[in-house]
Amino acid sequence: MAPFLISFFKALRSQLHPRMLLLTLLPFLVGGALWVFLIWWAWEPSVNALQQWLGSFRPLTWLGRVLQQVSWFQWSFQWEKFLAPILLSLLMLPLLVMTVVTITGLIAAPLAARQVASHYYPQFKPRPGWRFFSSVWHSLLVTLVFFFSWLVLLPLWLIPPLGVILPVILWGWLTYRILFFDVLSDYASVEEIRILALKHRWSLWCLGMVLALLAALPALLWIGGMALFVFAPLAALLMLWLYVLILVYSALVFAHYGFFLLTQYRRQTFEENAL
């Protein structure tokens, strides 16, 4: 448990390094530019299409007629205009999470791992070769599983406890599956990463869920009002940068914890082979 907790404090010290603060700009600029373009290009048509669908949704129109018949409800409230932006935000949220986590894993996680290795684990040297495409393939598979699980479990969100628990579990799984692989991919073999991920899967999953809870604040701001993107684009970009900052911090946490686990594993393997 001590290395688990110590990883958070070491990662915080690493995060304050100027190089790590500058590193947060890379996923922010790439992901931010992509999503600002998508929102500018597709937000209004998507909201309009969703409003039309909700307007023809019979349970919603029936509820509107019932409320209009109540004496104190004297005006016609267009529920579709109220619900469409909220529902679209909920649908876009997993896509935003997947985009930023994937970009962070591909770009920031290897650089964060080098920062941690050079300062705390100098015995580890990057292995020769370029493993970018293996990281892309791994991230793609994990992301597809995450998105499919999100869609399948979405109806369970209507059950009050599960509506809070399931997102944390899913985001925790996505975070640890991508970041743990990417921070160690330059320093450990695929077999070593697979063994460590299997042996310590519960502690890694818990680590991912803790960091997912930390990352929930920007997500709640996203759900709380898409008006940020209409009336205050700078505030929206600041929110996205905060999310990237938390993800880079998460990569540093996994780097510290992952290098500790790798050190313990190689030491144990050496001792067993020496007997």
Side-chain angles (χ1 to χ4, degrees), residues 12 18-19 33 61 92-93 97 102 144 148 157 172 196 206 209 224:
L12 180 59
R19 185 181 301 173
T61 56
M92 292 176 65
L93 179 60
V97 171
T102 302
L144 290 176
F148 178 76
W157 285 35
L196 291 175
C206 289
M209 287 190 291

Side-chain angles (χ1 to χ4, degrees), residues 189-263:
S189 65
V190 175
E191 181 67 16
E192 287 177 319
I193 297 175
R194 186 190 65 81
I195 292 174
L196 291 175
L198 181 63
K199 183 178 180 181
H200 303 279
R201 60 185 179 276
W202 298 117
S203 63
L204 291 171
W205 201 335
C206 289
L207 194 65
M209 287 190 291
V210 171
L211 294 169
L213 287 172
L214 183 62
L217 179 59
L220 291 176
L221 291 176
W222 169 276
I223 296 175
M226 283 303 298
L228 283 175
F229 285 91
V230 179
F231 300 109
L234 292 179
L237 292 176
L238 180 61
M239 181 195 69
L240 185 59
W241 177 79
L242 178 61
Y243 191 76
V244 172
L245 177 67
I246 294 173
L247 285 178
V248 172
Y249 172 75
S250 301
L252 290 168
V253 173
F254 274 102
H256 281 283
Y257 192 57
F259 280 125
F260 170 80
L261 295 179
L262 183 60
T263 301

Side-chain angles (χ1 to χ4, degrees), residues 60-164:
L60 192 61
T61 56
W62 174 83
L63 178 61
R65 288 196 300 267
V66 170
L67 292 176
Q68 290 178 26
Q69 293 174 1
V70 179
S71 59
W72 51 267
F73 198 83
Q74 298 295 334
W75 64 89
S76 177
F77 188 78
Q78 296 178 312
W79 293 95
E80 62 273 12
K81 291 187 177 181
F82 173 74
L83 291 177
I86 297 177
L87 292 177
L88 187 59
S89 298
L90 289 174
L91 292 174
M92 292 176 65
L93 179 60
L95 298 177
L96 174 65
V97 171
M98 290 187 299
T99 302
V100 178
V101 171
T102 302
I103 293 175
T104 303
L106 294 175
I107 299 178
L111 297 178
R114 294 195 178 193
Q115 176 76 10
V116 172
S118 62
H119 285 76
Y120 295 91
Y121 299 92
Q123 70 272 24
F124 290 117
K125 303 296 181 183
R127 296 185 302 138
W130 197 46
R131 281 160 291 278
F132 178 78
F133 290 107
S134 64
S135 296
V136 171
W137 177 247
H138 173 79
S139 298
L140 179 61
L141 291 178
V142 172
T143 300
L144 290 176
V145 173
F146 168 82
F147 189 61
F148 178 76
S149 302
W150 181 284
L151 293 179
V152 170
L153 298 175
L154 194 58
L156 297 179
W157 285 35
L158 299 176
I159 304 174
L162 298 180
V164 177

Side-chain angles (χ1 to χ4, degrees), residues 5-70:
L5 297 176
I6 291 174
S7 299
F8 286 90
F9 295 101
K10 287 185 176 180
L12 180 59
R13 185 164 53 183
S14 299
Q15 180 68 81
L16 297 177
H17 193 281
R19 185 181 301 173
M20 291 295 100
L21 293 176
L22 289 175
L23 181 60
T24 61
L25 295 178
L26 286 177
F28 168 72
L29 293 176
V30 177
L34 175 62
W35 275 97
V36 166
F37 171 76
L38 288 177
I39 291 171
W40 170 79
W41 176 67
W43 176 257
E44 187 173 352
S46 301
V47 170
N48 292 336
L50 191 55
Q51 285 176 351
Q52 292 179 1
W53 180 82
L54 291 174
S56 61
F57 189 54
R58 291 187 175 183
L60 192 61
T61 56
W62 174 83
L63 178 61
R65 288 196 300 267
V66 170
L67 292 176
Q68 290 178 26
Q69 293 174 1
V70 179

